[in-house]
Amino acid sequence: MPQTFAFDEIGRLPMPGDNAAIAIRRLEAGTLIRWQDTSFALDHTVLEGHRFAVRAISEGQALLSWELPFGVALAPIAPGAYVCNHGVLEALRIRQLDFALPEEPNFADQVHSYHLDEPSFHPGQQLPLHEQPGTFMGYDRGSRGVGTRNHIALIGTSSRTASFVRLLAERFRGKSGDTFDGVVALGHTEGGTATTPNNQELLLRTLAGWMVHSNVGAVLAVDYGTEAVTNRLLQDYLTAHHYPLDQVLHRFLSLSGGLQAQLAEAERIVGEWLDPVSRARRTHKPLAHLKIALQCGGSDAFSGVSANPLIGWVAGEVVRHGGAANLAETDELIGAESYVLEKVRDLETARRFLHMVERFQERAAWHGTSAEGNPSGGNKYRGLYNIVLKSIGAARKRDPRVRLDYAIDYGAPMEEPGYCFMDSPGNDLESIAGQVASGCNLIYFTTGNGSITNFPFVPTIKVVTTTRRFELLSRDMDFNAGAYLEGTPMEDLGRQLFELTLEVISGTRSVGEGAGHSQVSIWRNWPQRDASQLEHLKAAAEPEGIPLLLNADTPIPPASFSAIQAGTSHATDQLGLILPTSLCAGQVARLAAERLNAKGLGRQQGISRFAALVHTEGCGVSGSHAEHLYDRTLIGYLTHPLVKVALLLEHGCEKTHNDYFRTHLEELGVDPGQFGWASVQLDGGIEKSLEKVEEFFERTLGGQLALQCEQVGLDYLSLGLLSAGPLADPAAAALARLTRWVVGAGGTVVMPANAGLLQSPVYLEAALGSNQPETSLAHGQSFENPGFYIMDTPTDHWVETLTGLGATGVELMLTHAGEHPMQGHPLVPLVQVSGTEPVLRAYRGDLDLALEGEPEGWSQQLLQLLLEVASRRQSPKALAQGNIDFQITRGLLGISM
């Protein structure tokens, strides 16, 4: 017998005039629902958060939520019909469901263009200030504001020093106290290219805002001085834009020597700050100094019903106390412009907001996409079918009583109190980085799925949309907004959240701070400046994966190494891999690898170590080309010859979730059953997912025998060959000879197209002769046969290049460092050599081989070094020191959404 429910038991209408309701629990097909003076049965199973019609909707009629249109009916829709579009059906079909879906969608997305009626515009009034504004206990920073925390920040000015500041922060792990919240690293992905990025202004503004942030007691900025974005550029920007740098302890450090010596110098600088920073004390300060970031991530259908209106209510209270609130995520307000501008200070602010929306849409169009690609698979799974529904819900972070006061660029300082909008992408972490740079000293983060993200030096209060999800993730969340769905008045919840806010900004640690992990990502560079290259890039064919011809045969010296028998082949090593499917799962994957390595799991079975490939992708990026690069890269690592056993760890709400990868693996003929699968959100939080990861590897490795080794020749060697910076002819000739030896013996050499070697006439003549150096592998494409390949490189970003090269299946990498030693790879060992005199003088201790003496012997020295590393008798210094990084490219058409 079908179950029967009163509507209030199982559904919610955001506003009375809506014709589609939200299910607050899973409802089976045939369920009978009593609504007003009628009743109807559901025609299909409706998941929690998904919608069903409560009124008859005729063909061509708008579907309404919050009394705003989010689609148009393709056919008559009867009460009780499951409401679905093409996007949600596509998203659900790759999930492992136990019920049938409709064959066809019954509504189509429709984004209405908004037109500002300027002649009818009337300025809105802001909420009145409280007669007696409140206070909190904060750190007085003078003109920098008042801090809610007291940190020392270590900033990698560009991506090239990201791993350096992380290593430096590790030296201060655990050093915190009652008045000092610790040393934190801010490593990011930007500014490390040789060419000036399109986001340079934005990047400098973000770094400047971080340096003078009220939660920072002292700050160290680190560069090499040769990147596109350097300390000198940052200093000039700070001065030109009148940032109060003189009011914070600070140093700019340019690396010019060995890694350990430079870490020791940086440790000395930071160590001298510990005492003065720790002497800061909290005092009573007006709440007018509170600046809150309003953010949502892992949103669901209830975000706009419970959690977003709740933080909007509290934001109103902050404004009434003279403080400021910051609404962001430009593309997640498209379709909700009428609500955002329902109450605004003046016409200029409305125009500025709409200009930012139009600019975002134009930039997306340059890259062949639109904001309609924003909702993730996790959003759709939890009922946000399209960008309009997501935007309508996201906009509820502005309470209807609160006026929009002004609009600012990404990371621009919030110089006035009130409620502002900041231009940013919908990508949570990239948006938060800008809000922090603008001065926000507290983050409200609403989540339907249960996002676990935290920023390093600003506390985050996580507000969950439903009680069921809060209970599942209670150890990782701060506040349950789901109580509103169960009858608690919004004002009561608002007062409770406001009290929690006062506690947190006065020093009580948020749940996320207690978890001890955080993430940083700045609005990533967008490759295109206009649409002029779009059609060419979309039409470009990928290489066929055929090896290139090399110069005539050359005598090959006898050579062998000790390889591990791996299935039907051999490998230079065997590792365990934890692969996060998105940026938000990255830090949990890192924690998992650290725990497994500390336990020594798998050592008796020949597993040398566990690696986590932490990156910033998989969530807020749009464009099919970028997603194809992403898929191919990660699957290349899952099937990499160095990987003995692997597990995919999803956050749970990303575009590229576990079911997404299961489907792709099956399409490629790869058995998903050979991998482990874990979910931070669906498994019950950080600790539960870590337990599941550990249990999988213990079970999988428990019954396996120790690996066997065998001497093999160069035909089993696969090498990624790079060079960075100046390259002298003798070194180029030695690397050309090495290339011919490996390939001539039946092995493989893959070279990225941006390698300096391909600009060396000596290398080209010696290695290829009259053959043309054409791109023969796509970025991250696995090679199928031995030989010599040139891999496509969309950017000159060093870490992106390494990441793509590793995905091809090479088991070792070798680079000539002509400027300074570079970051290594967390999975594939990178050997670094140099024959450049300035590098030998300054960085000899970080090189694996100095090319000195008679150049005729260099090729043999290089070969012998590779054989030692391949036999696991020597570990490259970058890997041993932990100077490693990993980052997936977005190609030339990927942008943040």
Side-chain angles (χ1 to χ4, degrees), residues 734 738 741 831 833 848-868:
L738 178 69
W741 286 350
V831 176
V833 305
D848 298 294
L849 177 66
L851 296 177
E852 296 177 304
E854 180 56 51
E856 284 299 317
W858 289 1
S859 298
Q860 186 62 47
Q861 293 176 41
L862 290 167
L863 179 59
Q864 189 58 42
L865 172 61
L866 291 176
L867 296 176
E868 288 296 300

Side-chain angles (χ1 to χ4, degrees), residues 414-706:
M414 297 166 66
E415 296 176 340
E416 304 175 44
Y419 193 97
C420 87
F421 167 76
M422 185 197 76
D423 184 28
S424 86
N427 183 300
D428 309 334
L429 295 184
E430 294 181 22
S431 183
I432 288 171
Q435 291 177 305
V436 170
S438 74
C440 292
N441 49 15
L442 178 70
I443 300 163
Y444 285 127
F445 195 102
T446 67
T447 179
N449 286 272
S451 294
I452 59 165
T453 56
N454 305 289
F455 192 82
F457 62 74
V458 177
T460 300
I461 295 178
K462 299 189 187 72
V463 182
V464 189
T465 63
T466 62
T467 298
R468 185 178 294 108
R469 190 53 62 114
F470 179 80
E471 290 173 346
L472 177 67
L473 300 167
S474 59
R475 295 173 64 181
D476 301 303
M477 301 292 126
D478 294 277
F479 197 87
N480 176 26
Y484 173 72
L485 301 173
E486 295 152 6
T488 303
M490 184 64 72
E491 292 77 7
D492 291 353
L493 286 175
R495 284 188 285 270
Q496 293 172 30
L497 180 56
F498 190 72
E499 287 302 314
L500 175 62
T501 298
L502 294 178
E503 293 174 9
V504 170
I505 63 177
S506 295
T508 299
R509 289 163 69 86
S510 68
V511 172
E513 289 178 292
H517 70 88
S518 59
Q519 301 83 22
V520 176
S521 189
I522 298 172
W523 192 344
R524 294 203 66 196
N525 187 42
W526 49 92
Q528 304 304 315
R529 294 175 179 266
D530 53 40
S532 61
Q533 298 298 310
L534 179 59
E535 294 307 315
H536 168 72
L537 292 171
K538 288 169 65 176
E542 289 193 332
E544 297 180 0
I546 299 173
L548 300 176
L549 295 175
L550 288 184
N551 209 343
D553 292 340
T554 184
I556 301 169
S560 66
F561 64 94
S562 173
I564 298 170
Q565 295 180 3
T568 59
S569 187
H570 296 75
T572 58
D573 203 355
Q574 290 288 266
L575 284 76
L577 173 65
I578 302 99
L579 187 67
T581 67
S582 69
L583 72 168
C584 295
Q587 295 304 317
V588 182
R590 191 194 302 276
L591 287 172
E594 289 174 355
R595 289 190 183 187
L596 293 168
N597 284 327
K599 291 186 68 172
L601 187 65
R603 299 284 167 77
Q604 293 183 347
Q605 291 79 26
I607 299 292
S608 64
R609 57 190 171 91
F610 287 86
L613 303 182
V614 181
H615 56 86
T616 66
E617 302 307 299
C619 187
V621 60
S622 187
S624 59
H625 180 67
E627 290 174 13
H628 179 55
L629 284 169
Y630 177 81
D631 299 345
R632 182 169 60 210
T633 300
L634 289 196
I635 289 174
Y637 284 105
L638 282 174
T639 57
H640 198 282
L642 291 179
V643 175
K644 173 67 174 176
V645 58
L647 176 141
L648 294 91
L649 177 65
E650 69 172 9
H651 188 211
C653 56
E654 57 267 77
K655 286 187 176 183
T656 52
H657 45 76
N658 280 349
D659 284 340
Y660 174 96
F661 275 106
R662 282 192 183 95
T663 300
H664 279 264
L665 289 166
E666 288 170 350
E667 291 171 351
L668 294 170
V670 179
D671 178 17
Q674 66 183 284
F675 305 110
W677 305 85
S679 173
V680 176
Q681 293 171 354
L682 298 182
D683 290 332
I686 296 172
E687 282 303 320
K688 292 288 183 63
S689 62
L690 287 171
E691 291 168 7
K692 187 171 183 179
V693 170
E694 189 169 328
E695 187 275 332
F696 165 77
F697 284 110
E698 286 179 342
R699 184 180 69 251
T700 304
L701 294 172
Q704 296 192 8
L705 300 175

Side-chain angles (χ1 to χ4, degrees), residues 237-257:
Y237 187 90
L238 284 154
T239 301
H241 293 83
H242 310 293
Y243 283 84
L245 186 61
D246 60 329
Q247 296 192 19
V248 60
L249 291 169
H250 67 277
R251 283 284 298 273
F252 293 92
L253 175 66
S254 292
L255 303 180
S256 58

Side-chain angles (χ1 to χ4, degrees), residues 170-467:
E170 279 297 308
R171 297 190 172 203
F172 294 92
R173 182 185 284 193
K175 292 189 177 180
S176 61
D178 293 338
T179 60
F180 175 54
D181 295 299
V183 178
V184 294
L186 292 100
H188 58 88
T189 62
E190 302 306 292
T193 55
T195 54
T196 301
N198 293 331
N199 69 343
Q200 184 187 71
E201 170 81 12
L202 172 155
L203 174 57
L204 289 169
R205 188 163 62 236
T206 303
L207 298 176
W210 288 355
M211 289 198 72
V212 301
H213 194 279
S214 60
N215 284 8
V216 173
V219 58
L220 176 70
V222 184
D223 76 344
Y224 277 102
T226 57
E227 308 93 325
V229 174
T230 61
N231 282 347
R232 171 48 55 193
L233 281 175
L234 179 55
Q235 286 178 273
D236 291 345
Y237 187 90
L238 284 154
T239 301
H241 293 83
H242 310 293
Y243 283 84
L245 186 61
D246 60 329
Q247 296 192 19
V248 60
L249 291 169
H250 67 277
R251 283 284 298 273
F252 293 92
L253 175 66
S254 292
L255 303 180
S256 58
L259 178 66
Q260 296 305 321
Q262 293 288 272
L263 282 170
E265 170 63 10
E267 184 178 12
R268 182 192 62 77
I269 294 169
V270 175
E272 292 177 352
W273 290 336
L274 292 177
D275 180 60
V277 172
S278 297
R279 282 193 268 112
R281 293 293 181 268
R282 291 182 182 270
T283 57
H284 286 282
K285 292 297 172 184
L287 276 172
H289 291 289
L290 179 59
K291 299 178 180 181
I292 58 172
L294 306 174
Q295 190 68 213
C296 56
S299 300
D300 68 0
F302 303 104
S303 294
V305 179
S306 60
N308 286 343
L310 174 60
I311 67 169
W313 189 95
V314 177
E317 283 299 294
V318 172
V319 169
R320 294 193 68 193
H321 283 278
N326 182 309
L327 174 70
E329 301 179 286
T330 306
D331 51 322
E332 296 186 3
L333 296 173
I334 294 172
E337 295 93 339
S338 61
Y339 178 79
V340 175
L341 298 179
E342 195 173 60
K343 194 173 186 181
V344 61
R345 180 178 66 177
D346 53 33
L347 197 54
E348 180 55 34
T349 298
R351 289 173 181 155
R352 183 164 169 76
F353 168 77
L354 292 174
H355 168 70
M356 290 174 173
V357 171
E358 291 166 4
R359 182 174 62 186
F360 196 102
Q361 291 173 309
E362 180 184 27
R363 188 182 293 136
W366 297 344
H367 297 79
T369 189
S370 75
E372 293 173 39
N374 173 288
S376 70
N379 291 150
K380 293 175 182 177
Y381 186 62
R382 296 278 293 172
L384 292 180
Y385 297 173
N386 57 28
I387 186 58
V388 178
L389 277 178
K390 188 172 184 179
S391 293
I392 294 171
R396 311 306 287 195
K397 293 194 287 289
R398 183 190 69 78
D399 188 280
R401 304 167 301 149
V402 175
R403 181 184 73 180
L404 176 64
D405 288 309
Y406 56 102
I408 61 175
D409 285 324
Y410 181 91
M414 297 166 66
E415 296 176 340
E416 304 175 44
Y419 193 97
C420 87
F421 167 76
M422 185 197 76
D423 184 28
S424 86
N427 183 300
D428 309 334
L429 295 184
E430 294 181 22
S431 183
I432 288 171
Q435 291 177 305
V436 170
S438 74
C440 292
N441 49 15
L442 178 70
I443 300 163
Y444 285 127
F445 195 102
T446 67
T447 179
N449 286 272
S451 294
I452 59 165
T453 56
N454 305 289
F455 192 82
F457 62 74
V458 177
T460 300
I461 295 178
K462 299 189 187 72
V463 182
V464 189
T465 63
T466 62
T467 298

